[in-house]
Amino acid sequence: MSLFRKGNSIQIRDVWDYNLEEFALICEIVDTYNYVAMDTEFPGVVLRPVEAFKNINDYNCQTLKDHVDMLKLIQLSLTFSDENGNLPTCGTDSSCIWQFNFREFNISEDIFTSDSTELLRQCGIDFKKNNERGINVKRFGELLMSSEIVLNDGVHWVTFHSGYDFGYLLKLLTCKSLPDSQGGFFDLIDMYFRMVYDIKHMMKFCNRFHCGLNKLV
């Protein structure tokens, strides 16, 4: 079944510090629209570990940890749907998805790659506006922790190779650096995000699909 019903328009609801009450809407709909897709925007890939690793998995895990620990989240997008792919309307004529904009990243002071920030600018992100009107990540983490979006067996997270996305959400939720080990990282994912479907992993078992997300869609 198609993710969107024919003829439905999509309303992107931008959330800032001044309208953070939007989060209450999500808390109202998550029981019915309990399939969650997410995407994070961050300042890019800025380093590569140089120490020796036993295998590529250890290398990738350390690279992820170094980036999440060092860098600051810029934006989080959340899409909620029911088991039939229908999106919430929240009392409007349009299907709703949410973009949460954060204030901590400062393009004048923080590390980033120019390719990543330029792409984000082209996609509409205003770094100055984020600094002035964005959400405090600690406040957002508190709201997320007290919601039923995490720590809930009834919520299903639908992802595509989302290690970095989960990493930044765990940093929000725990206010700590990521664990040193891959096992510790996955233990936290199992704790906060009880049911995860990683489409990229599932594609390994489908002979016809060997592509990225854009081609898959």
Side-chain angles (χ1 to χ4, degrees), residues 5 29-36 79-83 86-89:
R5 286 178 286 185
I29 59 95
V30 69
D31 284 342
T32 301
Y33 299 91
N34 58 337
Y35 288 79
V36 187
T79 300
F80 295 81
S81 64
D82 64 19
E83 61 184 5
N86 300 308
L87 275 63
T89 59

Side-chain angles (χ1 to χ4, degrees), residues 165-197:
D165 297 325
F166 281 123
Y168 280 103
L169 284 189
L170 287 172
K171 184 179 178 181
L172 278 176
L173 289 164
T174 65
C175 298
K176 296 179 180 179
S177 299
L178 293 185
D180 292 326
S181 69
Q182 181 173 298
F185 177 66
F186 283 116
D187 284 345
L188 286 180
I189 290 179
D190 289 342
M191 179 187 301
Y192 288 98
F193 311 98
R194 304 288 175 81
M195 186 65 68
V196 175
Y197 303 95

Side-chain angles (χ1 to χ4, degrees), residues 16-17 23 25 27 39 41 55 81 99 138 147 161 173-175 178 207:
W16 307 87
D17 184 65
F23 203 88
L25 282 176
C27 294
D39 184 47
E41 303 297 349
N55 53 58
S81 64
Q99 285 184 166
K138 291 184 179 180
S147 73
H161 200 52
L173 289 164
T174 65
C175 298
L178 293 185
N207 293 331

Side-chain angles (χ1 to χ4, degrees), residues 91-123:
T92 72
D93 294 329
S94 303
S95 297
C96 299
I97 61 178
W98 284 267
Q99 285 184 166
F100 296 89
N101 302 281
F102 300 105
R103 68 172 60 167
E104 279 69 23
F105 176 71
N106 188 327
I107 200 166
S108 299
E109 300 175 0
D110 294 319
I111 299 173
F112 62 90
T113 62
S114 56
D115 289 347
S116 294
T117 54
E118 181 57 31
L119 179 60
L120 293 177
R121 280 197 179 98
Q122 292 174 12
C123 292

Side-chain angles (χ1 to χ4, degrees), residues 138-150:
K138 291 184 179 180
R139 175 59 179 150
F140 183 83
E142 292 171 354
L143 290 172
L144 190 60
M145 180 67 82
S146 62
S147 73
E148 295 186 359
I149 303 170
V150 297

